[in-house]
Amino acid sequence: MQKRRWIAAALAGTMALTMTACSGADSATAQDDSAQASADSTAAAEGSGEVKRVSVILKTLAAEYWQYCKAGAEAYGEEHGITVDVKGPSSETAFEEQMSMIETDLSTEEYDAYIIAPLQPDTVKNLVQGENRPVIALDSDIPDTPEVVSFVGTGNEAAAKLGGEAAVEAAKAAGWTEIKAIEICGVQGEPTNEARKAGYMSGIEESGGDFLEEETQYADATADRAVNCMEAIMQKFPEGIAIICANNDDMAMAAARTAAGNAAYENTIFLGFNGDKSACESILNGELTMSVAQNAYDMAYKAVETACQAAAGETVEEFVDSGAEIVTTDNAQERLDTLNGYLA
């Protein structure tokens, strides 16, 4: 995918060539008409610059992380006088529900641009095929889709790798000599989930740990299922595991609570992903060990900004990285204060 700018002046060029056989007066008129057609075509392709309404469809609204995204998207709209409609399905496995939302909004003529955090990128790719208005992928990319002009999100694999490296160092400091790691994953095959898994694996193994890929547990990104996964891990590894990493904070915290009171897991490093408010509180309370923090508020804010720029005919970046950091007891309170301000 390359930087895109909707310029459609080819029609004007074709008209000019067609008119060259005309007489002098007719030729001059044809040239004037051609120039006007070119200007009109370019203006239409680049947008009027008056962006009024943007659709934002998240993976769900039933999670703290997505509430920060909602707040960031709405903040940009309020600051710039733009209507930003934010919605999301009931869960991250409600595929049909999200598909219906996307289909409905694509058929709404009032929208100038779309921001979609896809649950199923391949399905969304088919839904947006042929769409003239710019589409921005949020949180998860929609690869090989010309209609998607930019992906705004975290470099998930690189961020997870940082988390894996930090977890190995923390495990060493906690006294582990055999550093084995098991991940409690989200939805199997989902691109963001797979990118984080790859990042955890490379970060842990390159730092001297052993990522037990064959022991990976899938919990569909829910805390309830993560409890069952952690129980299964403790039963199979009664001697303990140095690192339990998870695809999101909810699952990591559920795993930590499930293992509380098990002496073999007293020094286990529990690593989450998102850096949500509840994760910061859990870290400060000595439950969750650390989290790879995304900047969900900034991510959605930048996504709406990018969508508006694209709708106005401006050139936008193919990938806008919203950044990531590792949250530990050293900086959890500072981040918690920032997050509280977003939802105040």
Side-chain angles (χ1 to χ4, degrees):
M1 188 187 303
Q2 300 175 343
K3 296 180 181 178
R4 299 175 175 83
R5 186 180 180 91
W6 294 273
I7 300 177
L11 177 60
T14 302
M15 291 174 63
L17 289 173
T18 304
M19 297 294 185
T20 55
C22 297
S23 64
D26 290 342
S27 178
T29 301
Q31 289 174 1
D32 290 342
D33 290 343
S34 176
Q36 184 60 50
S38 177
D40 292 345
S41 179
T42 300
E46 293 187 347
S48 66
E50 297 181 6
V51 181
K52 296 180 179 179
R53 191 175 181 189
V54 176
S55 164
V56 179
I57 301 176
L58 304 178
K59 293 183 180 180
T60 184
L61 288 175
E64 183 184 323
Y65 171 81
W66 296 106
Q67 286 297 318
Y68 294 129
C69 283
K70 180 176 185 290
E74 291 176 340
Y76 186 91
E78 291 171 4
E79 291 175 13
H80 295 83
I82 296 165
T83 300
V84 179
D85 296 331
V86 183
K87 56 184 71 70
S90 55
S91 74
E92 291 192 34
T93 55
F95 306 122
E96 294 292 331
E97 189 179 350
Q98 189 191 56
M99 183 172 67
S100 177
M101 289 177 174
I102 295 170
E103 289 176 327
T104 298
D105 280 12
L106 287 173
S107 67
T108 302
E109 295 182 359
E110 289 81 4
Y111 287 123
D112 298 297
Y114 298 91
I115 297 168
I116 302 174
L119 288 174
Q120 294 179 311
D122 287 344
T123 300
V124 176
K125 177 180 180 177
N126 293 330
L127 291 177
V128 302
Q129 186 174 8
E131 177 57 53
N132 296 329
R133 293 161 291 185
V135 178
I136 308 298
L138 174 69
D139 186 70
S140 295
D141 199 4
I142 309 171
D144 303 320
T145 307
E147 293 80 5
V148 176
V149 300
S150 183
F151 166 45
V152 182
T154 304
N156 283 289
E157 185 169 344
K161 183 176 181 179
L162 288 177
E165 293 168 347
V168 170
E169 293 307 309
K172 291 176 181 177
W176 290 91
T177 55
E178 188 176 13
I179 303 177
K180 295 181 179 180
I182 295 176
E183 184 184 5
I184 299 177
C185 283
V187 179
Q188 189 170 10
E190 194 274 323
T192 298
N193 179 80
E194 297 304 317
R196 292 177 186 176
K197 178 182 177 182
Y200 281 148
M201 183 185 301
S202 62
I204 288 167
E205 294 192 340
E206 289 178 19
S207 300
D210 183 11
F211 185 92
L212 305 181
E213 185 177 11
E214 69 279 4
E215 299 297 339
T216 298
Q217 301 279 327
Y218 288 93
D220 288 341
T222 64
D224 288 346
R225 290 202 60 186
V227 169
N228 297 333
C229 292
M230 191 64 218
E231 289 174 343
I233 290 170
M234 290 190 296
Q235 184 174 3
K236 187 169 183 178
F237 297 90
E239 72 283 5
I241 288 290
I243 299 170
I244 299 295
C245 50
N247 182 253
N248 64 29
D249 287 329
D250 288 343
M251 292 190 293
M253 290 187 293
R257 288 192 297 268
T258 303
N262 186 326
Y265 285 81
E266 183 177 355
N267 293 321
T268 292
I269 305 303
F270 288 93
L271 168 64
F273 201 113
N274 282 340
D276 291 340
K277 176 182 173 181
S278 55
C280 293
E281 292 171 340
S282 182
I283 290 170
L284 292 170
N285 291 333
E287 299 165 346
L288 189 62
T289 312
M290 58 179 59
S291 177
V292 180
Q294 297 192 87
N295 296 314
Y297 182 98
D298 292 341
M299 183 189 300
Y301 186 99
K302 291 179 179 180
V304 179
E305 179 181 43
T306 302
C308 290
Q309 290 170 342
E314 298 180 29
T315 299
V316 297
E317 296 292 333
E318 176 185 350
F319 173 51
V320 179
D321 192 344
S322 53
E325 63 179 323
I326 305 300
V327 181
T328 66
T329 53
D330 294 334
N331 60 352
Q333 185 60 56
E334 180 181 359
R335 180 171 175 82
L336 180 59
D337 294 341
T338 299
L339 295 176
N340 281 334
Y342 290 153
L343 300 183

